[in-house]
Amino acid sequence: MNKLFNKKIHLFILVFSALLLPHSVFASTIYIDTNHSEFFVGDTIMFSVRINSENKDINTVEGEVLLDYLADAISLTDINTAGSQFSLWPSKPFPSENNTSISFVGGSPGGLISRDAIVFNIVLKLQETGQIILSPNNIGVYLNDGKGTKDKVSAKDLIINIWSSFPKKS
């Protein structure tokens, strides 16, 4: 009788976990990507804010990207929507007065399903050694379902270290 009870408990836990799993695994993910793996003073680097809709049809994304860096470590040289899958911009990506955040609202009238859709790009000139953290914040993603249903969202920060020069080969 005890073994049967244990099997029922294990089955209940397995079924309960399976019901909760889709809600956490299938959230749209917003992240920041770059083609570079090393960062050095003097470099000008483009970072792409991207979204993975997890096979859901989405039509709007909004929020901000926080830029956390030491004073004078970077210079924000450009924000653009080149290559973006979002063509409607109620609020084009726009920096805060002190360049510590970029807010945006973008839409795709026909909706889109994508693993790596570009939302917009940020171009930074790296001026000093140190660490920079780019963090998606207050992100809202809405489904293309005619109801304005808000999707669950996960966000991934990008942390980079800026080095003073190229490493020497031994």
Side-chain angles (χ1 to χ4, degrees):
M1 179 92 174
N2 204 8
K3 285 183 180 181
L4 181 61
F5 181 73
N6 283 340
K7 285 184 180 181
K8 285 183 180 181
I9 295 268
H10 288 277
L11 181 62
F12 174 77
I13 291 171
L14 180 65
V15 169
F16 186 72
S17 297
L19 290 174
L20 291 179
L21 186 64
H23 297 291
S24 62
V25 171
F26 298 116
S28 290
T29 302
I30 192 151
Y31 61 99
I32 299 160
D33 189 25
T34 182
N35 290 330
H36 298 275
S37 58
E38 296 180 327
F39 306 91
F40 299 99
V41 171
D43 288 349
T44 299
I45 309 289
M46 185 170 73
F47 299 89
S48 295
V49 178
R50 295 180 178 264
I51 190 161
N52 178 346
S53 69
E54 292 293 341
N55 293 320
K56 289 176 280 190
D57 191 8
I58 62 171
N59 65 6
T60 307
V61 63
E62 66 180 354
E64 63 184 346
V65 174
L66 303 178
L67 304 171
D68 185 11
Y69 57 93
L70 294 174
D72 300 324
I74 66 167
S75 174
L76 179 60
T77 61
D78 189 31
I79 302 169
N80 65 65
T81 56
S84 177
Q85 276 85 2
F86 294 87
S87 59
L88 188 65
W89 290 99
S91 178
K92 280 195 167 203
F94 189 78
S96 63
E97 188 173 312
N98 57 2
N99 289 337
T100 57
S101 67
I102 300 167
S103 58
F104 62 94
V105 178
S108 178
L112 67 96
I113 300 171
S114 179
R115 290 180 173 250
D116 62 352
I118 293 174
V119 181
F120 65 94
N121 302 299
I122 304 167
V123 181
L124 301 176
K125 175 145 177 91
L126 311 179
Q127 300 179 156
E128 298 285 336
T129 60
Q131 189 175 75
I132 302 171
I133 304 171
L134 293 93
S135 304
N137 188 43
N138 294 323
I139 304 298
V141 175
Y142 298 88
L143 301 178
N144 187 33
D145 62 359
K147 301 175 190 173
T149 305
K150 193 168 186 178
D151 192 17
K152 292 185 184 290
V153 179
S154 68
K156 294 181 182 179
D157 296 350
L158 176 65
I159 301 171
I160 66 166
N161 291 306
I162 303 170
W163 305 103
S164 59
S165 63
F166 290 100
K168 296 177 182 176
K169 294 183 181 179
S170 357

